[in-house]
């Protein structure tokens, strides 16, 4: 960016900030959302006529059902006016003070009870592309959550059990929720709460003594521990002594026996290192590796003391239970007969510990829908204990993945699934020899595209829906797939590399008058709305849908709006538009947790 351009932008910002003050309404983010500048002017203009506040009008502006009617619509009945809404719409359309809205609004028309507004696309293109030149990779982010903290617990595999498709769902959905909060200005804490405690570790220790191999443990800890776990559980079905020894071993762990803890610690540390490699492939990182074992014992003891003090627990056959049947939540066991704790006991202690440590404004548990009852029980117990912050906690549930297995038909670890997607994608890429020869690191690219295929297939529908894992469909470069999104991004990168022009932020964007250019700029402008909307819904599919629509719009524009071969001023304007599109599409892919590719 030139010094002259930087000075021009600074001057525009100064004028713009003065102008914006007149049109500042509640909910408008004039610093980060260009469309809000148009909405706020509409709201102020209608407020003058309707005796309704600009704040209320702004909140009700929407896109018309028929795009030919305009860019924004106001459903007059939603203002609860006394009289005929269609008559009000007609009267206001005739009287609305378009000059007040400055050069932003081109026309106002009534269609039945709707007021439809057309905006200046020339001004939108100019202000939007200037804005993206300033923001670049931070385009779309806002600070609405500044000062707030969110803790997201996600992934959370069980050591010695397969890291499977369900954990994949928790991992990519949780990472998305973390990314979305960060994009909306929140301080985020990503926590991996490992299943690393309980009687199963007693079983694992007994099994390792019989079937364990130090060499295999160091080579692939998760796979080896799983194999040991399967074998010892088979033994336990015919030999109850295994269970007796396992309970005794876990009791020693809970009592702090150093020898018992040393072996458990080795299993845990080696498994975490292996997990980190898998997470790196998925472009995921955690701020905290926690787990059931990390919950301070005093927090659990304090929680049990509060439960007793509030008469919430009762004895049953030597165990401690909480009867939640009157809340239709069944009975919860919080302590076994031998005095050891259970999963929910540790969850209670963990929640209290987290609030005391992080003072979060929101905490999300990204856990499959099979755990709906458990999570409802947890929240109800925390509420009955008197923890007012429990209303900040939310269970983000999701459905099952069906058919996610190897082509041989056996259940597999996630690493094996990722390896299989890489191989499959690599084979697809090899079919185009000319393009394949241009790629420096084809295996790495195949891995990223394969992961993109897996993730987009997962995130294309609402979280709660079960879906059928389809190997054949997800590697297609056509239709709504991960490879299609990556291909759209690489096409835009290719234009920048091969057109022979530099990005000119001062390009004459008033030349972008063709319908495909207007459609593309409209799509880019919507991205800040998508980021805010994703925070409300916490549904990855909203961003996937947007990225797909943007990619389709790019594809349509590229059919007729060429850069190479166009006159220089027009070529520069189109290049700036495609560059801004590439920034926007890349930002949306990163929000989903994908690595945008430049070549494939």
């Amino acid at each position: 960016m030139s010094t002259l351009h930087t000075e021009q932008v600074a001057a525009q910002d100064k004028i713009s900030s003065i102008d914006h003050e007149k049109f500042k309404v509640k909910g408008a983010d004039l610093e980060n959302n260009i469309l809000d500048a148009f909405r706020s002017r509409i709201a102020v203009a209608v407020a003058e006529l309707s005796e309704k506040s600009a704040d209320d009008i702004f909140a009700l502006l929407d896109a018309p059902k028929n795009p030919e009617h305009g860019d924004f619509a106001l459903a007059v009945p939603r203002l609860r006016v006394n009289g005929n809404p269609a008559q009000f719409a007609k009267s206001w359309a005739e009287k609305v003070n378009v000059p007040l809205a400055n050069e932003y609004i081109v026309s106002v028309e009534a269609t039945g009870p709707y007021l439809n507004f057309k905006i200046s696309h020339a001004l939108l293109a100019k202000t939007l592309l200037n804005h993206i030149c300033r923001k670049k990779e931070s385009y779309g982010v806002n600070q609405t959550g500044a000062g707030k903290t969110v803790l997201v617990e996600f992934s959370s595999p069980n050591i010695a059990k397969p890291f499977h498709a369900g954990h994949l769902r928790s991992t990519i959905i949780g990472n998305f929720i973390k990314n979305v909060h960060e994009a909306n200005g929140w301080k985020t804490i990503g926590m991996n709460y490992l299943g690393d405690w309980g009687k199963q570790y007693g079983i694992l220790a007994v099994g390792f003594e019989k079937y364990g191999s130090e060499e295999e443990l160091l080579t692939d800890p998760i796979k080896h521990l799983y194999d040991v776990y399967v074998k010892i559980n088979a033994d336990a079905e015919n030999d109850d002594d295994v269970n007796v020894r396992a309970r005794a071993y876990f009791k020693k762990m809970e009592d702090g026996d150093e020898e018992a803890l040393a072996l458990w610690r080795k299993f845990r540390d080696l498994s975490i290192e292996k997990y980190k490699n898998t997470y790196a492939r998925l472009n995921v990182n955690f701020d905290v590796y926690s787990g059931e074992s990390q919950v301070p014992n005093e927090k659990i003891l304090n929680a049990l003391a509060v439960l007793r003090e509030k008469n919430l627990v009762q004895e049953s056959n030597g165990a401690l239970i909480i009867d939640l049947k009157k809340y239709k939540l069944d009975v919860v066991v919080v302590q076994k007969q031998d005095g050891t704790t259970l999963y929910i006991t540790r969850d209670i202690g963990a929640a209290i510990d987290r609030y005391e440590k992080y003072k979060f404004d929101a905490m999300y548990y990204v856990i499959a829908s099979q755990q709906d009852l458990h999570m409802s029980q947890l929240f109800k117990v925390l509420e009955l204990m008197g923890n007012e912050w429990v209303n900040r906690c939310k269970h983000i549930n999701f459905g099952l993945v069906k058919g996610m297995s190897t082509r041989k038909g056996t259940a597999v670890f996630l690493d094996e699934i990722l390896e299989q997607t890489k191989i499959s994608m690599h084979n697809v890429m090899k079919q185009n020899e000319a393009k394949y020869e241009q790629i420096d690191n084809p295996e790495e690219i195949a891995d990223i595209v394969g992961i993109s295929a897996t993730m987009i297939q997962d995130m294309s529908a609402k979280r709660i829906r079960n879906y059928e894992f389809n190997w054949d469909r997800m590697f297609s470069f056509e239709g709504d797939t991960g490879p299609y999104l990556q291909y759209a991004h690489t096409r835009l990168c290719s234009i920048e590399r091969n057109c022979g022009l530099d990005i000119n932020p001062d390009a004459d964007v008033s030349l972008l008058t063709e319908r495909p250019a207007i459609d593309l700029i409209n799509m880019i402008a919507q991205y800040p709305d998508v980021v805010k909307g994703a925070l409300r819904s916490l549904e990855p599919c909203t961003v996937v849908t947007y990225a797909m629509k943007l990619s389709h719009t790019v594809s349509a524009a590229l059919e007729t709006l060429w850069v190479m071969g166009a006159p220089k001023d027009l070529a520069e304007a189109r290049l700036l538009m495609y560059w801004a599109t590439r920034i926007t599409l890349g930002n949306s892919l990163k929000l989903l947790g994908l690595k945008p590719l430049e070549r494939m």
Side-chain angles (χ1 to χ4, degrees), residues 308-517:
R308 285 192 183 92
E309 181 186 313
K310 291 184 176 285
N311 295 319
L312 294 171
V313 289
Q314 57 195 70
E315 276 198 33
S316 176
N317 297 322
L320 286 181
I321 66 164
I322 304 173
D323 187 346
L324 297 176
K325 288 200 285 286
K326 68 178 176 182
Y327 305 106
K328 298 182 180 177
L329 294 174
D330 210 348
V331 171
V332 179
V333 182
V334 291
Q335 190 177 72
K336 289 184 182 177
Q337 291 168 313
D338 63 3
T340 54
T341 57
L342 288 96
Y343 191 73
I344 194 159
T345 327
R346 296 187 284 276
D347 270 0
I348 294 165
I352 294 167
D353 184 52
R354 290 174 195 178
Y355 184 71
E356 290 176 359
K357 193 176 289 181
Y358 300 110
K359 292 290 188 289
F360 52 76
D361 296 279
M363 176 163 66
Y364 297 109
Y365 294 83
V366 186
I367 302 172
S369 55
Q370 296 101 307
Q371 297 295 322
D372 283 356
L373 175 61
H374 172 85
M375 297 309 302
S376 296
Q377 289 172 333
L378 172 63
F379 295 159
K380 178 53 71 175
V381 171
L382 288 168
E383 179 193 327
L384 294 172
M385 290 172 72
N387 298 297
E388 293 178 2
W389 45 263
V390 71
N391 59 7
R392 305 180 187 189
C393 304
K394 187 175 180 184
H395 176 204
I396 305 295
N397 58 3
F398 53 84
L400 298 171
V401 185
K402 298 178 180 178
M404 195 173 193
S405 60
T406 61
R407 295 188 185 230
K408 294 175 184 176
T410 54
V412 287
F413 287 90
L414 180 60
D415 263 354
E416 293 175 57
I417 290 168
L418 297 183
E419 201 59 33
Q420 196 166 315
T421 59
K422 181 173 86 172
I423 292 166
S424 299
M425 199 63 241
H426 202 184
N427 291 336
V428 172
M429 288 165 59
K430 284 178 183 174
Q431 292 169 15
N432 189 328
E433 289 182 26
K435 280 192 175 181
Y436 187 79
E437 287 174 5
Q438 295 174 13
I439 300 172
D440 295 332
N441 48 347
E443 286 218 7
E444 184 185 338
I445 298 300
D447 194 35
I448 293 171
V449 178
I451 287 167
S452 301
T454 306
M455 289 172 64
I456 292 301
Q457 183 170 219
D458 191 286
M459 295 193 283
S460 291
K462 289 201 169 182
R463 296 186 317 263
I464 198 61
R465 283 181 58 186
N466 302 334
Y467 75 93
E468 197 74 37
F469 191 79
N470 187 320
W471 284 102
D472 297 320
R473 186 184 68 228
M474 77 175 184
F475 292 122
S476 172
F477 284 79
E478 302 296 326
D480 294 349
T481 65
Y484 174 73
L485 290 178
Q486 290 285 13
Y487 178 61
H489 190 267
T490 58
R491 283 184 80 187
L492 293 166
C493 292
S494 175
I495 291 168
E496 291 175 39
R497 276 196 308 273
N498 300 324
C499 70
L501 295 170
D502 292 328
I503 307 297
N504 179 9
D506 299 315
D508 183 3
V509 296
S510 68
L511 299 172
L512 300 172
T513 56
E514 301 94 340
R515 188 71 247 175

Side-chain angles (χ1 to χ4, degrees), residues 88 115 119 128 151 198 201 230 263 338 433 444 498 537 598:
F88 276 112
L115 267 179
I119 66 172
L128 177 68
L151 191 152
Y201 294 99
V230 170
L263 182 63
D338 63 3
E433 289 182 26
E444 184 185 338
N498 300 324
S537 70
E598 295 185 7

Side-chain angles (χ1 to χ4, degrees), residues 45-262:
V46 175
E48 280 202 337
L49 301 170
S50 64
E51 297 181 358
K52 300 290 181 179
S53 76
D55 295 351
D56 290 341
I57 295 164
F58 179 90
L60 296 174
L61 288 171
D62 210 341
K65 289 179 182 176
N66 183 347
E68 291 181 8
H69 288 165
D71 302 289
F72 294 106
L74 175 66
V76 176
R78 295 181 69 192
L79 288 176
R80 301 180 186 279
V81 291
N82 293 319
N84 186 328
Q87 287 290 350
F88 276 112
K90 186 174 183 295
S91 171
W92 292 347
E94 292 167 357
K95 297 176 185 174
V96 72
N97 188 351
V98 172
L100 172 68
N102 211 336
E103 71 272 33
Y104 285 72
I105 312 304
V106 172
S107 68
V108 189
E109 291 183 5
T111 307
Y114 290 90
L115 267 179
N116 295 310
F117 301 84
K118 290 185 178 176
I119 66 172
S120 166
H121 290 284
L123 182 62
L124 176 63
K126 181 181 175 183
T127 53
L128 177 68
L129 296 179
N130 255 325
H131 179 72
I132 297 175
C133 283
R134 294 198 306 277
K135 295 286 186 177
K136 299 186 181 67
E137 278 71 19
S138 65
Y139 171 57
V141 306
N142 63 72
Q143 292 302 310
T144 53
K148 293 181 180 178
T149 298
V150 62
L151 191 152
V152 187
E153 178 199 303
F154 63 106
S155 194
S156 306
N158 296 302
I159 290 173
K161 292 185 181 178
F163 188 154
H164 54 68
H167 296 118
L168 172 67
R169 296 214 75 192
S170 175
T171 302
I172 60 183
I173 293 168
N175 191 51
F176 168 77
I177 290 169
K178 180 172 176 275
N179 290 345
V180 164
H181 278 80
E182 201 166 298
N184 282 277
W186 290 60
K187 177 187 174 185
T188 60
I189 301 160
M191 177 179 284
N192 198 336
Y193 186 66
L194 300 170
D196 63 353
W197 203 245
K199 180 199 159 191
Q200 68 263 35
Y201 294 99
I203 288 178
L204 190 61
V206 172
F208 195 75
E209 188 180 332
K210 184 174 181 180
Y211 297 111
S213 158
E214 283 291 332
E215 185 182 343
E216 289 183 55
L217 179 68
L218 293 172
T219 303
D220 192 342
I222 296 170
K223 177 76 165 60
H224 181 55
L225 291 174
Y226 174 62
D227 290 342
V228 168
Y229 190 70
V230 170
K231 288 175 184 175
I232 196 64
N233 269 291
D235 291 351
E237 287 180 15
N238 303 310
D239 181 4
D240 195 51
D241 186 54
V242 172
N243 286 308
V244 173
R245 289 165 62 201
R247 280 192 288 270
Y249 194 96
F250 178 56
K251 185 73 168 69
K252 286 201 292 183
M253 287 170 63
E254 284 225 305
D255 290 342
D257 181 273
E258 190 48 48
E259 187 180 343
L261 288 172

